[in-house]
Amino acid sequence: MSIAATFEIPFEQFLDPKGKPVKDLPKWADKEELLKLYKMMTKVRVFDTKAIALQRTGKLGTYASCLGHEAAHVGIGAAMIEEDAFCPMYREYGAQFMRGVKMSEVLLYWGGDERGSNFSGPQHDFPWCVPIATQYLHAAGSAMAFKYRGEKRAAVTVIGDGGTSEGDFYEALNAAGAWQLPFVGVTVNNKWAISVPLSKQTACETLAQKGIAAGMDCVQVDGNDIVAVRDVMQNALHKAREGKGPTFVEMLTYRLHDHTTADDARRYRSDDEVEAERKKEPLIRLRQYITDQGWWDEDQEKVLLEECKKEVDAAVVEYQSIEAPGVEDMFDYHFEELTDPLSEQREIAIKEARRNG
């Protein structure tokens, strides 16, 4: 029997879990840039901690934590340009903050107010996509439009490891590969799809190889190493904008918190597993690297944490000062024209809202 095809999946890493370089860092990874990325990752973590506290005290609805994903998300945002389009899942706050989305908008959304999706970031970016995998189709469609119009921009989308078992995911990859679209698909492989471990989701040795069947370049990256994440994304996006086709990127990381605040991960995974992964988390390794370079110390860390806390507290005040939307919004923003029964229901809803204060 002869071999019809063979393939390899490259793996990219610059910093090991202890913050030690495993090879020379890319030229862009200088003091200024790495400090900027570290500060943003820290801000994301402070925000995430506060958001969980708000949910626990009844001031937010369900919230999807990004604890442990900071390098993956901030690295994606750092590599994108404003003209690119971002089609997020529902926990990529680091990428969105890099693109100008406000913390108060994230809080507004998880507080149950859809006006939070009206981002301050690029208006062509897509809102959060809770249905699993549909955002991949949105990105493929956007990328097709960019190619059709001859624009040098790319569409970026993110999915979890469980989402790579969805049909929409495969359809989007197939379209991106067949039409060689300016598309960069990312899967943030955090090893758990709520309570389902990766080993029960797929027989694949890597998730990256799922892009092979679509004819795409595929790469696996240490998702806790922001240098590797940004470098891989930067190269994939440059290639896409130059009309040289799509890329599928698997980022290996770990979800350190529950899937959402409606979940209790203690029911399905061990404390030993979580603690082992906590030692590899992204802030530890970058902080160690910049400290070893003489660029960072404990005093700077204290100042940064205080600055982040003030910024997050201000965002919470802004969020809590926004008046709740009128009950009529559910009618006014869903229909071009109301039928008579809907008009009647709208008036009843307004009267009931006024009567109940």
Side-chain angles (χ1 to χ4, degrees), residues 47-340:
F47 170 82
D48 195 66
T49 302
K50 184 69 175 183
I52 293 169
L54 289 172
Q55 194 279 331
R56 298 304 192 213
T57 53
K59 295 171 184 172
L60 273 187
T62 301
Y63 172 76
S65 169
C66 62
L67 182 63
H69 292 199
E70 293 90 350
H73 298 165
V74 173
I76 291 169
M80 295 179 70
I81 60 173
E82 183 172 352
E83 290 78 8
D84 295 333
F86 188 46
C87 302
M89 199 169 66
Y90 46 74
R91 67 171 97 238
E92 292 77 34
Y93 317 122
Q96 293 177 301
F97 292 163
M98 293 291 292
R99 293 181 65 71
V101 175
K102 295 167 61 178
M103 294 180 188
S104 58
E105 291 165 342
V106 177
L107 296 174
L108 197 62
Y109 175 81
W110 288 112
D113 191 330
E114 286 289 347
R115 291 177 297 179
S117 292
N118 187 20
F119 303 138
S120 297
Q123 291 293 297
H124 53 256
D125 280 2
F126 281 59
W128 288 293
C129 195
V130 175
I132 304 301
T134 50
Q135 72 274 19
Y136 255 61
L137 293 172
H138 302 160
S142 299
M144 187 168 70
F146 300 157
K147 181 171 183 176
Y148 180 76
R149 298 194 297 237
E151 298 172 345
K152 281 198 170 186
R153 50 199 295 218
V156 179
T157 188
V158 181
I159 200 167
D161 41 282
T164 65
S165 299
E166 290 280 342
D168 288 357
F169 164 79
Y170 287 105
E171 292 162 13
L173 286 192
N174 190 64
W179 299 325
Q180 289 294 285
L181 301 178
F183 170 99
V184 180
V186 174
T187 179
V188 175
N189 177 1
N190 64 25
K191 300 183 175 61
W192 288 91
I194 309 183
S195 60
V196 180
L198 184 66
S199 60
K200 291 189 176 180
Q201 295 172 41
T202 180
C204 283
E205 190 172 357
T206 71
L207 295 181
Q209 70 199 63
K210 293 191 175 189
I212 295 290
M216 299 171 64
D217 290 336
C218 303
V219 58
Q220 188 184 70
V221 59
D222 184 337
N224 288 348
D225 173 7
I226 194 166
V227 180
V229 169
R230 174 168 176 167
D231 204 60
V232 164
M233 288 299 299
Q234 197 164 276
N235 292 337
L237 282 164
H238 177 74
K239 187 187 77 169
R241 295 187 203 107
E242 292 299 312
K244 297 179 181 177
T247 303
F248 182 54
V249 182
E250 177 187 7
M251 298 183 182
L252 297 176
T253 184
Y254 190 81
R255 168 166 56 79
L256 290 170
H257 199 267
D258 302 325
H259 176 67
T260 69
T261 50
D263 174 41
D264 182 359
R266 294 173 300 179
R267 299 174 62 186
Y268 54 81
R269 66 184 186 187
S270 70
D271 291 342
D272 289 344
E273 176 184 312
V274 178
E275 287 309 307
E277 293 290 344
R278 197 178 297 279
K279 294 175 182 174
K280 306 174 188 174
E281 60 97 341
L283 270 70
I284 290 176
R285 73 177 65 186
L286 184 56
R287 183 165 60 238
Q288 188 62 56
Y289 178 76
I290 58 179
T291 300
D292 289 347
Q293 300 303 307
W295 301 341
W296 198 250
D297 58 32
E298 289 187 8
D299 289 340
Q300 289 170 292
E301 180 76 13
K302 289 177 183 174
V303 171
L304 173 62
L305 289 173
E306 189 59 31
E307 289 174 350
C308 290
K309 184 176 181 303
K310 287 181 180 177
E311 186 175 353
V312 171
D313 287 346
V316 173
V317 170
E318 182 180 353
Y319 155 63
Q320 292 179 323
S321 69
I322 298 172
E323 290 188 13
V327 69
E328 66 274 17
D329 278 14
M330 74 175 88
F331 298 93
D332 295 347
Y333 295 108
H334 278 81
F335 304 98
E336 176 70 20
E337 295 181 5
L338 295 181
T339 61
D340 289 342

